[in-house]
Amino acid sequence: MSKKRDLKKAIAETESEIEALEKKRARSQSVLLKAVVLKQEPNPTDVEYFRVFTDLIDERRETLRKLIEELNNL
């Protein structure tokens, strides 16, 4: 039972992390979209933030998939 509880807790924490990262990425995404709409060159820092947050989100989603799979296999 403890293993299931630990996995459920880890899943909830990972989901919260993903949500927080998505909010941060949305900020840089809106700046990038504004640059596209205004036909301007986006700030390289904003582009890098978007890439970093996207990579972190992808990593956390992969972790989440593994945790859910492990929970389902118990």
Side-chain angles (χ1 to χ4, degrees):
M1 284 305 238
S2 177
K3 180 73 172 173
K4 278 189 176 184
R5 184 178 57 233
D6 292 343
L7 283 171
K8 287 179 181 181
K9 183 178 178 184
I11 288 169
E13 289 172 356
T14 304
E15 288 173 339
S16 293
E17 273 185 76
I18 291 170
E19 187 176 322
L21 288 168
E22 286 175 338
K23 286 179 183 177
K24 291 177 182 178
R25 181 179 66 174
R27 292 181 198 137
S28 61
Q29 187 176 20
S30 66
V31 172
L32 294 175
L33 183 57
K34 179 181 176 184
V36 169
V37 169
L38 297 175
K39 297 180 182 174
Q40 298 174 344
E41 187 68 29
N43 184 325
T45 303
D46 293 323
V47 173
E48 187 60 27
Y49 279 139
F50 181 79
R51 287 183 181 148
V52 168
F53 287 127
T54 300
D55 289 343
L56 288 171
I57 290 167
D58 290 343
E59 289 173 14
R60 297 306 187 281
R61 284 184 180 156
E62 183 59 32
T63 300
L64 182 61
R65 281 196 267 312
K66 289 177 183 177
L67 289 169
I68 291 171
E69 182 179 327
E70 187 176 344
L71 179 62
N72 289 336
N73 288 335
L74 287 182

